[in-house]
Amino acid sequence: MERTTRYSKKREAILTALRATKSHPTAEWLYQTLKPEHQDLSLGTVYRNLTLFREQGLVRSVGVVDGHERFDADTSDHTHFVCASCHAVIDIPSVTAGKQVEAQVSEQYGFRVNHHDLTVYGACAECMQKEIKS
Ligand code: ZN
Ligand code: MN
């Protein structure tokens, strides 16, 4: 029973930490962030729970950036920008081109669309500033 409680506490902590950030973190980041409070936490537990959360539709993967999978607790349809320099994953919700893509797919191909996943890649404003200065 105690085992179940502790397991649930860790699971809750992982989900809470993911919901508290807009940085679309990696499993490693969540592990490092929670480790001081949860000494018995392992990276494997973080991975297992993220997989479970994704299956349950509680979190989504934003894809692999620089070799590390990035996670998002915001499962609503929204567009992401990925910076190739600093690897920031940024929400750009006002860009709704995905809705047009959905309409085009169903109108032009007759397919039923469930959802879309649009990610734009480039350099963020901060990294562009650094490029100018250097
Ligand atoms: Zn950047
Ligand atoms: Mn997001």
Side-chain angles (χ1 to χ4, degrees), residues 83 86 124 127:
C83 178
C86 69
C124 75
C127 286

Side-chain angles (χ1 to χ4, degrees), residues 77-79 92-102 116 118:
D77 272 346
H78 62 280
T79 307
I92 46 171
S94 65
V95 177
T96 55
K99 295 284 170 212
Q100 290 158 41
V101 170
E102 285 189 10
H116 71 270
L118 181 63

Side-chain angles (χ1 to χ4, degrees), residues 1-12 40 42 45 48-49:
M1 198 54 203
E2 211 216 324
R3 212 185 146 75
T4 312
T5 310
R6 272 163 51 193
Y7 174 69
S8 299
K9 261 185 196 166
K10 276 186 259 182
R11 187 165 56 184
E12 197 59 43
D40 57 343
S42 71
T45 300
R48 265 196 306 281
N49 279 286

Side-chain angles (χ1 to χ4, degrees), residues 112-127:
R112 182 181 65 233
V113 175
N114 295 332
H115 67 277
H116 71 270
D117 194 354
L118 181 63
T119 307
V120 180
Y121 299 84
C124 75
E126 242 176 77
C127 286

Side-chain angles (χ1 to χ4, degrees), residues 21 23 65 70 90 116:
T21 179
S23 68
V65 178
R70 305 286 288 264
I90 305 157
H116 71 270

Side-chain angles (χ1 to χ4, degrees), residues 22 24 60 62 72 74 78-80 89-91:
K22 286 252 156 213
H24 308 87
R60 63 184 273 200
V62 191
D72 195 349
D74 181 358
H78 62 280
T79 307
H80 290 108
V89 178
I90 305 157
D91 288 334

